[in-house]
Amino acid sequence: MKPKRSRKKNEPISCEEDRISSLPDPILHQILSSIDTYTAVRTCALSKRWRHLWTSLHRLHFDSSQFPAQDYSAAPTFHSISSEGLRFSSFVNHVLSLRDEALNLSSFSLISAYDDPGLAERCICYAGCYNVKQLLLCIRSHASIIVLPRCFTNSESLEVLTLDNSYYSISMDQPFCLPALKTLRLEHFDDPANFITRTVANCPNLETLVLDNLDLCSEDTESQCSKLNITGAQIRKLELCYYHGHNWKCYESEVEVSALRLTSFKLVGSVSPVFSMGSLPCLEDVYVDLCPEGFLADEVKQRMLLNVMNLLGQLREATSVTLSWETLETLAMDPDSLKSQPTPFHKLKHLKLITPRGYSNSTLVLNVLAYLAQGSSCSDTLVVEYPQALQNNEAIGIERWCRLFGYERDICLYTFSS
């Protein structure tokens, strides 16, 4: 038997079998669907096996950041499109024209920083015609208004919709009617109360509603805003994240919620909440981070504490509550008021306190914590998570103060990095 010949130092390594290319088409399509469409299309140069695979994709993701401007000093005007914008538009049109017409879409994403409303409208129509289930649109058109076609606003296939209207370029004159929609996320919408109210009513299967950078206050009124009505029999998760308001001023926001199956509620922003909620028997998780950063009108400031206490009282069924330090400080505006009020949470099992990043000099508001926890009797132990920035004696004070208020459950204290 001849001994094996050792490979010399500069001798090339023989190519191994291409095992990835030998995988069946469904697996390769799944691999390509996990990356952006620009990268997926470029795989056509690998071999003949990959040349046409991308044309059968069920998920399309277009991002103009992959076509960045080279010369920022020669930026186009708002009414023109840069050469990079034209390249991006040409690429998108090329993909849409060559994709297999017999296949529907499961997901379509368009993130564009170029002023080309025609491209956005073509993409929306294309996604609607191929029965897309998940759609994400982030259009940063400076000068033109994008009109959403009827095939989109009345889609019967759409289940997840995310709209980022950063430059307020999407026309929202007519509400959506989406019978299959389960998740709706809207970002940067200017005074959309009437639109949101009617859209939620037209989406009977909606389970998750996220309103980010919400602005219900007009420029003419600094302390008042339009009313928001959210009614949904199937809504389980509701998040309201308010824009800081015009001139960074805090204003009152009147919101009416009717959602019997709601299990998770989140409220964030510089706002004084005037909430009216129906029965919430399924509520479990609550997250409240109010940031009244010193720009409150006198009449708003006077009602701020009462508004927050009323809000928490309507969330009384929650078992897990997360509150920001600013929210605790709001409750501490009038310590005497807390003594005459019953605790809002009678099923509380887990309380978490959060502080802004880098916020280290915290003075623990003990009477507020006792107000939040003393009436809960759902279990024998209450878990309290507090920021690592707090001093040990402040954390121990939580337990001591609750004892003074007659709170008899065990209290487990945990720290976390904020």
Side-chain angles (χ1 to χ4, degrees):
M1 182 175 179
K2 295 183 180 181
K4 292 184 178 180
R5 183 174 62 89
S6 60
R7 186 176 61 89
K8 295 181 180 180
K9 184 177 181 180
N10 297 325
E11 184 177 349
I13 301 176
S14 59
C15 295
E16 296 182 359
E17 179 184 0
D18 184 1
R19 296 183 179 181
I20 295 181
S21 295
S22 63
L23 294 173
D25 283 2
I27 295 180
L28 294 180
H29 287 148
Q30 186 173 359
I31 294 174
L32 292 180
S33 295
S34 65
I35 59 179
D36 61 271
T37 303
Y38 179 70
T39 303
V41 172
R42 295 180 68 184
T43 61
C44 69
L46 295 176
S47 66
K48 292 182 179 179
R49 174 76 174 89
W50 293 80
R51 181 171 299 174
H52 301 294
L53 276 174
W54 66 268
T55 62
S56 301
L57 288 176
H58 291 268
R59 300 168 60 91
L60 298 177
H61 176 77
F62 300 105
D63 190 344
S64 65
S65 65
Q66 295 174 317
F67 296 80
Q70 302 296 326
D71 184 7
Y72 293 96
S73 63
T77 64
F78 285 165
H79 295 279
S80 64
I81 306 177
S82 66
S83 59
E84 292 77 15
L86 292 174
R87 286 179 53 234
F88 175 66
S89 178
S90 177
F91 170 75
V92 174
N93 288 326
H94 174 76
V95 171
L96 299 185
S97 63
L98 294 181
R99 182 180 171 275
D100 190 344
E101 297 181 353
L103 300 176
N104 283 330
L105 281 170
S106 62
S107 176
F108 189 101
S109 301
L110 176 65
I111 303 174
S112 177
Y114 298 118
D115 187 28
D116 189 355
L119 173 66
E121 293 174 6
R122 286 194 298 274
C123 287
I124 296 171
C125 285
Y126 183 91
C129 291
Y130 287 92
N131 300 316
V132 66
K133 293 184 177 181
Q134 299 183 30
L135 180 63
L136 183 150
L137 295 176
C138 180
I139 311 298
R140 298 183 176 94
S141 177
H142 298 276
S144 305
I145 297 298
I146 299 171
V147 179
L148 299 176
R150 183 172 292 274
C151 65
F152 164 75
T153 58
N154 294 336
S155 171
E156 296 183 357
S157 63
L158 196 59
E159 297 178 0
V160 179
L161 173 61
T162 299
L163 287 180
D164 185 347
N165 195 23
S166 298
Y167 288 86
Y168 305 103
S169 56
I170 301 177
S171 175
M172 311 303 294
D173 294 336
Q174 298 298 324
F176 301 157
C177 184
L178 307 170
L181 192 69
K182 294 183 178 181
T183 300
L184 175 61
R185 183 185 183 96
L186 301 176
E187 301 182 35
H188 297 97
F189 282 86
D190 188 11
D191 195 15
N194 192 35
F195 165 79
I196 292 175
T197 297
R198 292 187 294 167
T199 293
V200 172
N202 290 339
C203 301
N205 292 304
L206 189 64
E207 297 178 357
T208 299
L209 176 61
V210 179
L211 305 178
D212 202 357
N213 278 285
L214 184 62
D215 186 6
L216 300 178
C217 187
S218 65
E219 295 182 1
D220 299 330
T221 59
E222 297 177 349
S223 60
Q224 297 180 351
C225 60
S226 52
K227 181 178 180 180
L228 181 61
N229 190 321
I230 298 174
T231 301
Q234 303 298 327
I235 295 179
R236 290 170 170 80
K237 181 178 181 181
L238 176 61
E239 295 186 9
L240 304 177
C241 303
Y242 281 81
Y243 177 65
H244 279 291
H246 302 283
N247 300 319
W248 292 83
K249 291 189 177 181
C250 178
Y251 57 88
E252 287 188 331
S253 176
E254 187 176 356
V255 180
E256 184 174 342
V257 177
S258 178
L260 284 174
R261 297 190 180 186
L262 190 69
T263 61
S264 177
F265 176 76
K266 181 176 182 179
L267 176 64
V268 177
S270 180
V271 65
S272 178
V274 183
F275 273 61
S276 174
M277 293 185 171
S279 177
L280 302 174
C282 300
L283 188 63
E284 297 176 358
D285 300 317
V286 166
Y287 183 107
V288 179
D289 180 12
L290 301 177
C291 312
E293 301 176 348
F295 294 93
L296 288 83
D298 291 338
E299 65 274 12
V300 175
K301 187 174 182 179
Q302 292 174 1
R303 296 190 295 267
M304 183 73 178
L305 173 60
L306 182 59
N307 289 340
V308 175
M309 293 175 65
N310 288 338
L311 169 66
L312 298 182
Q314 295 177 76
L315 302 172
R316 63 190 307 269
E317 302 293 336
T319 57
S320 177
V321 177
T322 300
L323 299 176
S324 68
W325 212 255
E326 291 86 345
T327 305
L328 296 184
E329 291 175 341
T330 300
L331 289 171
M333 287 180 176
D334 185 1
D336 294 334
S337 298
L338 298 182
K339 297 178 181 179
S340 60
Q341 295 293 330
T343 184
F345 306 112
H346 67 107
K347 294 182 179 180
L348 189 62
K349 296 180 181 180
H350 184 274
L351 176 63
K352 183 175 181 179
L353 313 177
I354 58 175
T355 61
R357 188 177 300 275
Y359 196 84
S360 58
N361 296 322
S362 302
T363 302
L364 192 59
V365 190
L366 295 176
N367 59 327
V368 175
L369 293 177
Y371 157 73
L372 294 172
Q374 64 178 337
S376 179
S377 58
C378 186
S379 64
D380 295 331
T381 302
L382 171 66
V383 178
V384 179
E385 290 188 63
Y386 63 92
Q388 202 172 40
L390 296 181
Q391 301 298 322
N392 288 334
N393 60 334
E394 291 178 322
I396 295 174
I398 297 176
E399 184 172 5
R400 291 179 177 175
W401 193 270
C402 288
R403 299 299 181 204
L404 291 176
F405 273 76
Y407 187 67
E408 298 179 353
R409 285 198 297 167
D410 292 331
I411 301 176
C412 296
L413 303 178
Y414 296 91
T415 63
F416 64 93
S417 299
S418 57

